[in-house]
Amino acid sequence: MLLRTWATLLSLSSLSLSSLSLRRSPQTALATAQILLVRFFAVAPSSEFAVADIALACVLLACKVEEVGRRVADVVNVYFALKVPCRLFRRTLICQSCSQLYEASDHKETAVFVDVPYETMNEYKDAIIKGEIHILARLGFNVHVQHPHGFMVNYLKSLGLASDKELAQFCWNCLNDVVRTEVVVYYQPNVIACAAIYYGACKFGVILPVSPPWWELFDASLVDIEIICEHLAALYARDV
């Protein structure tokens, strides 16, 4: 439960980081950070590491992997902006490069952050850098992540369903959400893509070919697809 909570925090952190830049961070950086977090705690006991430090280190490492430039200070500032709920300790950021002001409103808060004390900032910087080292060591520097979104798009085209925008968008959303589960550790991206299509087809009543079984064309098994769909269903049931 704690791990899933921090996976959700990772989502918020990456989105906030994107608003602090001149150009938005790609969705792949967010997904990569979440997958690295799940991968790490699949091989490392959570009792030995601070989940918060590892989560923030995953954000920084994912930005490097996806070639999205972010500083350690950016990660720390956004973390404290999310952590401190009181607006009295927040202030707005003026992006001097683009002369754009991001400010808090009654309905939406964007790019607001707190003034982190110098000593605290250094402590978090050290913790994030150490966390990054632990991630690289535990994963054997294997931080490459292949996302299932591209597979899903190609499979929909092969099945003649690319024109169904509602189905395609739902499948895309499923793939964005599945990174919050341990599915990304145990299954290949092509199988996860098939599961998203199967889940979407069941929801919208789309009939998929079964002779021959369509999933066999994409090197997936029905058993694995159904297991992933169960994880998705449990995730959505928990969020309700």
Side-chain angles (χ1 to χ4, degrees), residues 80 89 164 183:
F80 273 92
F89 297 98
D164 191 336
V183 163

Side-chain angles (χ1 to χ4, degrees), residues 208-225:
L208 298 173
V210 293
S211 183
W214 64 273
W215 55 84
E216 292 183 357
L217 300 176
F218 306 130
D219 296 326
S221 70
L222 183 59
V223 174
D224 291 341
I225 289 175

Side-chain angles (χ1 to χ4, degrees), residues 13-31 59 62-63 66-70:
S13 299
S14 296
L15 290 175
S16 299
L17 278 173
S18 67
S19 67
L20 290 172
S21 64
L22 297 180
R23 59 185 179 83
R24 294 188 62 83
S25 299
Q27 183 71 23
T28 52
L30 165 60
V59 172
C63 290
E66 301 298 338
E67 299 182 352
V68 180
R70 293 294 183 277

Side-chain angles (χ1 to χ4, degrees), residues 156 159-168 170-171 196-210 214-215:
L156 285 178
L159 294 170
L161 299 173
S163 58
D164 191 336
K165 302 301 181 182
E166 188 177 17
L167 173 62
F170 181 81
C171 294
I197 295 174
Y198 183 85
Y199 193 78
C202 292
K203 177 178 177 60
F204 293 103
V206 177
I207 300 177
L208 298 173
V210 293
W214 64 273
W215 55 84

Side-chain angles (χ1 to χ4, degrees), residues 3 7 30-40 42 144-149 174-193 228 231-232 235:
L3 179 57
L30 165 60
T32 298
Q34 291 175 306
I35 292 174
L36 290 177
L37 178 66
V38 178
R39 278 186 184 178
F40 177 82
H144 172 72
V145 175
Q146 189 174 22
H147 299 285
H149 299 70
C174 287
L175 295 180
N176 290 339
D177 293 333
V178 78
V179 295
R180 296 165 54 192
T181 72
E182 58 270 24
V183 163
V184 294
V185 176
Y186 301 112
Y187 296 96
Q188 295 297 319
N190 65 298
V191 181
I192 298 175
I228 296 173
H231 281 275
L232 277 172
L235 176 65

